[in-house]
Amino acid sequence: MLYDRGLHGRGAAVSPALLVVARDPASEARFGAGPWDRAVLARLVVGLNRAGAAAIGVDIPLGPPSAPGRGGASSDALLSQATVLAGNVVYPITLDLHPLKTDLVPALSPSEAHPSWPLLPRVPLALPRAEPGAPLPGLARQARAVGHTRAPADPDGVVRRVPLFVQLGDRAVPAFGFAVATVVAGVSPDQIVVERGSITVGRWGRIPVDDRERALVGWVAPRRLTVVPFLDLWTAVEERRAEALRTLVEDKIVLVLTEPARGVHRTPVGSVSDGEIQAQVLNAVLTGSWLREAPLGWTLGATLVIAALTAWLGLVLSWWAALVGVAVLSSGYAGALLLSPPLIGVVLAAVPPLAAAVVAGAGALLWNQLGSAHRLHGLEDEIETIREALVRQESTVEALEEDLETARGAVARSTGAERDLLQVAEALRVELAAARAQEGQTRSRLADLERELRAADSRHVELDDAEQERLRRRCAEVGIVTRDPAVLARFHDLERAARSTLPILVLGEPGTGKELFARAVHRLSPRAGGPYVAVNMAAIPLELFESELFGHVKGSFTGAVAERKGYFEQSDRGTIFLDEIGELRADHQSKLLRILQEKTFYRVGATRATAVDVRVVAASNRDLERGIAEGWFREDLYFRLKGLVLRLPPLRERRQDVGPLAARLLEDACAEAGRHVTLSESALRALEGHDWPGNVRELQHCLRQAVALADRAVLVAEDLRLASASEAKADAAGDAAVLVCLRQHGFDMQATARALGWDRSTVTQRLKGLGFRALVESGGDRRKAALELAGAPALGRVVELKLSEYHEHLLRAVEPFDSVEAALGACRRRFKNLPDRHFRSLELLVRQHFEGRPRGARG
């Protein structure tokens, strides 16, 4: 390799190239895996010197003499003689770095110091220190220079900087690679000045170092260094191929790394040995590729700019656009981190700017959350106020419609006073038109606010309920699609229990996702890296139960031609899922109980027990507690399995999940069929209105069938082949179905009437009847009756307002009458569309009112 800068200073021609001679498997096959005979190295040094090597660095430890099996004293003498003859050999010395016991700097004796080590100034320096030891070995005394190989790692365990000098007494011991470079350049010790935070070497000028005299090396990939296997070079020396050897090493620095790696360190270019680190130091000296850390001003400026841009992105853009912007910004700075060392020789700080980006992003997110939360809270309050006003306006409209109908009936029956009645009717029509107009305006305002709320909610959906949103995302990661609070609450329990060894029992109807929850337990547990084995207990043949679960040994029964591990042994250090646990026979239950208690079992035909470490998750669609009472399930086994019981609700109890599930399943069905279809609004309403006795499996089958059989690209309700229209209407006629529809639409009478295909007055009469019955059953407690009808606390206020309006309207209607019979007769005419089954409740309310009214009183 040739370099155009380095040893000869600025404007020089070409500095010597670096050749690394490395130990390789072929060399070890010939000379052994341990330290080699130093006679081999002596012959190599002589050959390199004769071939014109500019300098020779030999990485062998200086210390005790060679062992007799490796040449002994004679080999050491040969290497020492070769070192003297060459005159340009450099060796490393091993130094232990540790603080001195005193601040006094002892002067080294001539036997302890090497002539190539410069004297240190008397001012104290922050150099790494080593205790003076024994006199230098003879081989070191014959070397042209001696250097250290110490390279302490940074706090993260990565070696980036190398101390160019280590203090030994009053001398500065250079790094091994640095010492080789000084030999080539002919630098004498008096040309090296070591000061605090500065190293100046003759005409090389100042080398950038930190306050501990460590240089930041410009690491290059090992493939960019010229590396020659030792055996190739040795063969050329041994066969006396002088011309080939001269071509290879003439005027080059040869670094011989033949010792077994004494230490391996993590570096920016991978794991390397001490000798390879010194090769990087030597390459940095030759090329002048020292790096320096970015000035403090650069770091502060980059930190402020990145923090400001991140905060601006988070405050101005939507969350996804801000995320993309921050990703681009971070990628750009990461690219600058990679490109700045080779381009400008500066290492930029990584932690402060990126940490500032994280802090600024978190601050912007928090600010957006607080602002959005405040805005959402205000919108929700305003919507709640308008909803209450709308309820009252609806009740007013409904009451006026009833009054108008009553007036029209009176006109039809009257024989006189038609003019007065017509005037009353006309006034009522005017009032009704005004009330309807006001209701329309309120509905329009409510729709606008709800759209604004949905827009805000779609941008910051996690603000509605941060914990539920986190759980929903975690569910999606493990394949569970849900927004139902009950399912999310069970997943929250699962998430916490998964970290323990607690057994988990999942109960629920077929198709509710029990196996998905079991897989989630495994994925979220510390055993996620272990096996997961799912076993359908109902599908195991009775005669093979023990063999399947516990395994068997060869020859234990007819057909056992080989040893087999059972399901429990296959799931060792992992999770086993025992599905349909309620289908086990009594004798099999006792065998399963034994392994759960003792954690050991016997393979069929084995005489020695096998121990396993298994997390057990069981599931059943049967009522195991009922099984205990009826005697078909063991109570002790039940208590072994029920560390945590998760009861999954059926799909009909979480209709809000039908839409997201249908979208996921439709996507899978389309991929399977190789076509693209979507759901219409009518199809989605039909799916949400179906009870799904088969739960998610039935929903999946329905959508797969529709995708396979339907011709159109947008599926309508008919394509789903659910219940017929007449059956759906007959079912909708029941009070329970009407109440379910009311709850689904938040007791909005207009939306419910549209969904049922009725007019609003019919829905109103049905709700009035249900409300009158609930008032009777609750003893007149409106709040209790409202909660009973609402089914959820969130709808309780709306229903309570409606019940209050209906009840008060009823009382106003009967107030003018003196007797119960007259009042009931008027009610039959006024509430003629009320189903007969509910009129009994109305009659009881009227009678209670008259019984509580003072005798002789009248409205």
Side-chain angles (χ1 to χ4, degrees):
M1 296 179 66
L2 298 178
Y3 304 91
D4 59 359
R5 54 186 179 134
L7 290 178
H8 299 288
R10 192 172 299 172
V14 175
S15 66
L18 171 61
L19 178 70
V20 179
V21 181
R23 183 187 186 105
D24 63 310
S27 305
E28 291 185 344
R30 177 164 182 179
F31 298 111
W36 292 346
D37 191 332
R38 291 187 176 179
V40 174
L41 297 178
R43 187 171 179 183
L44 180 68
V45 167
V46 171
L48 293 174
N49 183 58
R50 289 176 178 173
I56 305 170
V58 184
D59 181 22
I60 60 171
L62 300 179
S66 299
R70 296 295 180 184
S74 61
S75 294
D76 290 344
L78 288 174
L79 182 58
S80 180
Q81 185 178 5
T83 301
V84 172
L85 291 174
N88 60 353
V89 181
V90 182
Y91 291 110
I93 186 172
T94 301
L95 296 176
D96 293 328
L97 303 182
H98 48 77
L100 291 177
K101 299 177 182 178
T102 176
D103 291 336
L104 298 177
V105 178
L108 296 183
S109 64
S111 64
E112 295 175 329
H114 194 273
S116 65
W117 297 349
L119 281 169
L120 288 170
R122 295 186 177 275
V123 296
L125 299 176
L127 287 172
R129 292 186 176 186
E131 289 276 5
L136 289 175
L139 186 59
R141 306 294 303 173
Q142 308 300 330
R144 177 71 175 274
V146 174
H148 72 85
T149 58
R150 301 299 298 177
D154 288 341
D156 60 355
V158 178
V159 176
R160 297 183 181 86
R161 301 167 177 80
V162 175
L164 292 186
F165 287 94
V166 169
Q167 181 173 348
L168 185 66
D170 59 345
R171 299 282 182 145
V173 181
F176 176 56
F178 189 86
V180 174
T182 60
V183 169
V184 175
V187 175
S188 61
D190 58 359
Q191 293 178 301
I192 300 173
V193 179
V194 181
E195 299 173 325
R196 183 181 296 274
S198 172
I199 294 177
T200 305
V201 182
R203 55 188 175 181
W204 297 357
R206 186 176 178 275
I207 297 176
V209 292
D210 60 14
D211 56 355
R212 294 167 62 186
E213 313 302 330
R214 297 180 304 173
L216 196 57
V217 178
W219 299 86
V220 299
R223 65 178 180 275
R224 293 177 57 190
L225 299 175
T226 304
V227 181
V228 176
F230 180 86
L231 193 59
D232 292 356
L233 201 62
W234 171 257
T235 303
V237 172
E238 190 176 38
E239 294 178 357
R240 302 181 184 277
R241 295 186 302 199
E243 190 60 33
L245 194 61
R246 182 177 296 105
T247 302
L248 187 61
V249 304
E250 188 175 19
D251 293 330
K252 294 180 182 178
I253 301 173
V254 182
L255 195 61
V256 183
L257 307 179
T258 61
E259 284 297 304
R262 297 186 295 277
V264 177
H265 309 274
R266 290 170 52 206
T267 70
V269 294
S271 297
V272 299
S273 65
D274 289 328
E276 291 167 327
I277 289 176
Q278 295 302 318
Q280 293 280 353
V281 173
L282 178 55
N283 182 70
V285 176
L286 295 176
T287 61
S289 57
W290 302 109
L291 301 179
R292 55 192 179 90
E293 294 182 342
L296 181 60
W298 290 23
T299 302
L300 292 177
T303 301
L304 291 175
V305 170
I306 290 177
L309 288 176
T310 303
W312 179 80
L313 290 171
L315 292 173
V316 173
L317 303 180
S318 60
W319 68 267
W320 61 268
L323 188 62
V324 172
V326 172
V328 171
L329 184 63
S330 301
S331 301
Y333 191 74
L337 290 176
L338 295 175
L339 295 176
S340 61
L343 294 180
I344 61 176
V346 176
V347 178
L348 300 178
V351 175
L354 296 181
V358 172
V359 172
L365 178 62
L366 179 61
W367 180 264
N368 281 337
Q369 285 181 340
L370 293 175
S372 299
H374 180 72
R375 174 61 178 158
L376 287 174
H377 184 68
L379 285 174
E380 289 168 353
D381 289 345
E382 189 172 357
I383 286 174
E384 185 63 27
T385 302
I386 291 181
R387 282 189 189 279
E388 292 183 5
L390 181 59
V391 168
R392 293 189 177 93
Q393 290 169 6
E394 277 185 337
S395 301
T396 302
V397 170
E398 293 159 1
L400 288 171
E401 287 174 342
E402 291 178 355
D403 291 341
L404 180 59
E405 186 66 24
T406 302
R408 284 173 176 166
V411 169
R413 292 191 302 272
S414 66
T415 56
E418 288 91 347
R419 182 179 300 174
D420 293 339
L421 290 173
L422 286 172
Q423 289 176 351
V424 171
E426 184 62 28
L428 286 172
R429 275 196 297 271
V430 172
E431 191 175 351
L432 177 59
R436 283 176 173 169
Q438 188 176 5
E439 181 190 0
Q441 292 174 357
T442 304
R443 283 187 179 279
S444 176
R445 175 58 179 160
L446 178 61
D448 292 341
L449 286 174
E450 286 179 336
R451 279 194 297 271
E452 187 175 354
L453 179 61
R454 283 195 297 271
D457 208 27
S458 64
R459 180 176 177 182
H460 300 285
V461 67
E462 67 276 6
L463 298 179
D464 186 23
D465 188 335
E467 179 61 15
Q468 286 205 358
E469 176 62 20
R470 184 192 70 80
L471 291 171
R472 187 193 67 76
R473 288 196 297 265
R474 292 286 282 165
C475 282
E477 290 172 5
V478 295
I480 299 172
V481 179
T482 184
R483 291 182 177 272
D484 184 71
V487 178
L488 293 176
R490 286 157 178 76
F491 185 81
H492 179 262
D493 292 341
L494 177 150
E495 192 178 39
R496 299 182 67 180
R499 298 191 289 266
S500 68
T501 59
L502 197 68
I504 295 178
L505 178 61
V506 188
L507 302 177
E509 296 179 8
T512 51
K514 297 188 291 295
E515 183 163 2
L516 284 176
F517 268 69
R519 289 184 181 275
V521 172
H522 178 68
R523 288 185 59 181
L524 299 176
S525 72
R527 300 169 180 262
Y532 170 83
V533 179
V535 185
N536 187 346
M537 306 299 282
I540 299 177
L542 299 179
E543 65 276 7
L544 295 179
F545 177 81
E546 291 187 67
S547 174
E548 291 292 310
L549 256 64
F550 309 135
H552 60 255
V553 298
K554 182 178 179 181
S556 57
F557 55 85
T558 303
V561 296
E563 184 178 274
R564 181 187 179 278
K565 290 183 178 181
Y567 292 131
F568 270 94
E569 197 168 355
Q570 292 174 27
S571 56
D572 189 26
R573 299 187 181 279
T575 305
I576 187 168
F577 173 47
L578 305 177
D579 197 9
E580 303 298 345
I581 194 74
E583 306 301 324
L584 281 182
R585 296 194 327 181
D587 55 337
H588 292 165
Q589 291 179 28
S590 63
K591 293 173 181 177
L592 180 60
L593 177 63
R594 179 183 181 88
I595 186 174
L596 295 181
Q597 289 175 334
E598 301 180 4
K599 306 295 185 184
T600 61
F601 61 89
Y602 286 86
R603 293 184 185 175
V604 177
T607 58
R608 180 175 297 177
T610 301
V612 290
D613 176 17
V614 175
R615 170 73 171 278
V616 176
V617 181
S620 178
N621 59 11
R622 304 184 68 181
D623 188 346
L624 299 184
E625 292 181 347
R626 180 180 175 186
I628 294 170
E630 295 177 356
W632 50 264
F633 200 80
R634 293 179 62 117
E635 184 177 20
D636 47 2
L637 177 57
Y638 176 73
F639 285 113
R640 277 285 174 183
L641 295 171
K642 64 164 291 189
L644 171 65
V645 178
L646 301 174
R647 300 183 187 274
L648 303 185
L651 191 55
R652 61 182 172 274
E653 294 180 9
R654 47 188 181 103
R655 294 183 185 273
Q656 61 181 317
D657 284 348
V658 172
L661 279 169
R664 170 70 68 83
L665 297 174
L666 183 65
E667 184 179 331
D668 295 342
C670 290
E672 181 181 316
R675 55 179 305 205
H676 178 70
V677 297
T678 57
L679 288 171
S680 66
E681 284 293 327
S682 64
L684 184 57
R685 285 199 300 270
L687 291 174
E688 292 175 343
H690 193 64
D691 278 346
W692 302 112
N695 295 297
V696 180
R697 287 199 190 98
E698 184 185 359
L699 175 61
Q700 182 183 35
H701 174 74
C702 172
L703 292 171
R704 291 176 65 185
Q705 181 188 65
V707 170
L709 301 181
D711 295 328
R712 42 187 156 232
V714 180
L715 300 180
V716 297
E718 291 75 14
D719 296 326
L720 301 174
R721 305 194 179 194
L722 298 173
S724 65
S726 60
E727 292 171 339
K729 194 161 186 177
D731 179 67
D735 287 338
V738 173
L739 188 57
V740 167
C741 193
L742 282 164
R743 289 171 176 172
Q744 288 177 349
H745 293 88
F747 285 83
D748 186 318
M749 313 303 286
Q750 200 172 75
T752 304
R754 191 164 48 245
L756 292 172
W758 297 348
D759 57 57
R760 188 170 69 175
S761 63
T762 304
V763 179
T764 300
Q765 294 303 318
R766 194 63 66 88
L767 180 58
K768 279 186 177 180
L770 292 170
F772 293 157
R773 186 177 67 185
L775 284 170
V776 171
E777 292 175 351
S778 66
D781 187 335
R782 291 178 181 175
R783 178 167 294 182
K784 182 178 179 182
L787 287 175
E788 182 67 26
L789 287 177
L795 297 174
R797 177 60 179 163
V798 173
V799 179
E800 186 179 354
L801 285 171
K802 286 185 176 292
L803 287 189
S804 299
E805 293 287 338
Y806 295 161
H807 194 202
E808 291 169 4
H809 183 232
L810 172 63
L811 298 182
R812 288 196 302 271
V814 301
E815 194 65 28
F817 299 96
D818 293 326
S819 66
V820 174
E821 288 69 21
L824 290 176
C827 287
R828 284 197 178 275
R829 292 189 298 272
R830 179 179 289 273
F831 301 106
K832 62 181 181 180
N833 293 327
L834 191 69
D836 290 339
R837 61 182 177 275
H838 294 310
F839 199 83
R840 176 59 182 166
S841 300
L842 181 148
E843 182 180 348
L844 288 174
L845 291 174
V846 172
R847 291 187 182 279
Q848 289 172 4
H849 173 69
F850 273 86
E851 289 173 1
R853 191 167 66 172
R855 187 174 300 273
R858 188 176 173 188

